Amino acid sequence: GLMPLPSKIRSAPVAFSLVALSSLVFLLFKELGFYGPILQLLNFVPVELTSRGGRLGEPGNDWWRFITPTLLHFSWMHLVFNCLWIWEFGRRIEKSLGSLNMLGLYLASAVFSNSVQFFISGPSIFGGMSGVVYALMGFIWAGNSLRKDWMEPLPPAVMAFMLIWLLVGLVGALEVLGAGAIANGAHLGGLVIGVLLGGVFGLLSRFNKS
């Protein structure tokens, strides 16, 4: 329905905060010249920037690094694309399950998708909300498959587009198109954890209902 924007934001504060935070980090990172400090703070592994380039460390005790790469975006297209889906998918989940569950889902999918990406690529620079986006998509799809109309479903065209985008990334075509290295591990890891959690939540809610 046509709900005024402030009411929409109030009904999905976590999804809105993720969009706002990603946008703020992007502005600092890409537009206002804080590239080095932001990368050093938020990348999955510590980065030491020298005049000859960057030196990558190993994962240490910085627990936040399991989550914060989701806030790093490397182009406007990357940012807008992810924010659009975080809002579209996130508000559906938040409306049905509340903000606390949405926050938990974000944290779980961030940790899992970033860890899978690190496992595949080793110490590297990667970022973006894409892993979380695929987790939210998988969550809605699996949850709705187990409990009909549990939350506002995703249009089939959106599902098809996202799965094609995933496959295109996996075969490496996006790098040819100049979109840079795509964090395929994060995409796949996100989709897997989203489907699993959606299945668990969907089953639990069916038992609770019966």
Side-chain angles (χ1 to χ4, degrees):
L2 288 172
M3 206 166 153
L5 192 62
S7 319
K8 276 187 173 171
I9 291 168
R10 275 202 301 277
S11 72
V14 173
F16 178 76
S17 300
L18 292 176
V19 168
L21 204 52
S22 297
S23 305
L24 177 65
V25 167
F26 182 78
L27 287 174
L28 289 168
F29 180 60
K30 289 292 275 191
E31 302 297 321
L32 299 174
F34 293 98
Y35 184 86
I38 296 264
L39 197 60
Q40 285 165 322
L41 181 67
L42 303 184
N43 196 50
F44 193 86
V45 293
V47 183
E48 195 188 322
L49 294 174
T50 64
S51 52
R52 289 196 303 279
R55 274 226 323 271
L56 294 159
E58 287 294 325
N61 302 322
D62 304 341
W63 57 267
W64 68 85
R65 292 184 189 277
F66 282 94
I67 299 158
T68 51
T70 59
L71 300 174
L72 282 174
H73 291 86
F74 300 100
S75 69
W76 275 106
M77 188 179 121
H78 191 204
L79 174 76
V80 170
F81 190 79
N82 279 344
C83 285
L84 174 72
W85 298 124
I86 284 288
W87 176 250
E88 274 305 312
F89 301 167
R91 69 179 177 79
R92 285 170 161 83
I93 294 169
E94 213 164 337
K95 209 162 80 178
S96 297
L97 296 180
S99 298
L100 206 58
N101 281 325
M102 174 61 194
L103 181 62
L105 185 59
Y106 161 65
L107 294 173
S109 57
V111 169
F112 190 80
S113 61
N114 286 330
S115 301
V116 170
Q117 182 60 38
F118 174 74
F119 180 74
I120 289 171
S121 66
S124 57
I125 290 170
F126 62 84
M129 278 282 177
S130 315
V132 175
V133 165
Y134 276 97
L136 300 183
M137 183 182 90
F139 186 91
I140 293 170
W141 174 80
N144 274 354
S145 303
L146 287 163
R147 186 179 153 188
K148 283 282 164 272
D149 302 324
W150 189 27
M151 51 192 87
E152 191 187 333
L154 301 176
V158 169
M159 288 284 293
F161 172 78
M162 296 299 284
L163 291 171
I164 290 166
W165 188 253
L166 180 72
L167 290 171
V168 168
L170 285 175
V171 298
L174 291 173
E175 288 170 46
V176 178
L177 294 173
I182 302 296
N184 291 315
H187 291 181
L188 272 177
L191 190 58
V192 167
I193 191 76
V195 168
L196 287 173
L197 289 171
V200 170
F201 270 75
L203 283 172
L204 286 174
S205 89
R206 270 177 81 158
F207 287 131
N208 288 342
K209 212 171 65 162
S210 56

